[in-house]
Amino acid sequence: MASKKDMRRPDLIIPYQEPAAKGETGDLQSTIASTLPMAAIFMRNRYVGWAAFVFSIQSWLGESEDSKKSSSTPGYFSVGMACMASLLRPMLQTDN
């Protein structure tokens, strides 16, 4: 039969310690700067395109050394995408 005695040893209990935060986990501004150009192209809206350009310039100028190392795309890439979206929008405009 099974023993009714508690087999857990109190000397082996390790108290829970919350892990340390890694600092900044996400960068919302660079996410917006990289998705707004696509939204400007899809919506064919010039104001969204110019907002994307402003956000991408701000994101590029506000990059820190840590964000440059952890980022998958450089800041000037989002500026280029915003310029392309702003210049491509008039080409996509159709007259009905």
Side-chain angles (χ1 to χ4, degrees):
M1 282 207 164
S3 173
K4 300 274 184 190
K5 183 180 176 186
D6 189 7
M7 300 302 286
R8 296 177 288 186
R9 292 178 42 191
D11 60 330
L12 295 179
I13 295 174
I14 301 172
Y16 174 76
Q17 294 178 352
E18 187 174 346
K22 293 183 181 178
E24 230 178 288
T25 56
D27 188 14
L28 183 63
Q29 186 170 0
S30 69
T31 303
I32 290 173
S34 61
T35 56
L36 268 181
M38 291 181 278
I41 292 173
F42 294 147
M43 293 173 40
R44 296 182 181 172
N45 190 332
R46 82 175 62 153
Y47 301 114
V48 176
W50 286 112
F53 184 71
V54 170
F55 268 102
S56 63
I57 292 281
Q58 287 177 348
S59 175
W60 185 28
L61 294 177
E63 276 185 333
S64 65
E65 291 296 325
D66 295 333
S67 66
K68 284 181 186 177
K69 292 176 185 173
S70 65
S71 177
S72 60
T73 58
Y76 56 83
F77 183 74
S78 62
V79 173
M81 287 292 292
C83 287
M84 186 210 48
S86 297
L87 296 175
L88 188 65
R89 193 213 53 85
M91 292 182 213
L92 296 174
Q93 189 145 8
T94 57
D95 294 328
N96 292 332

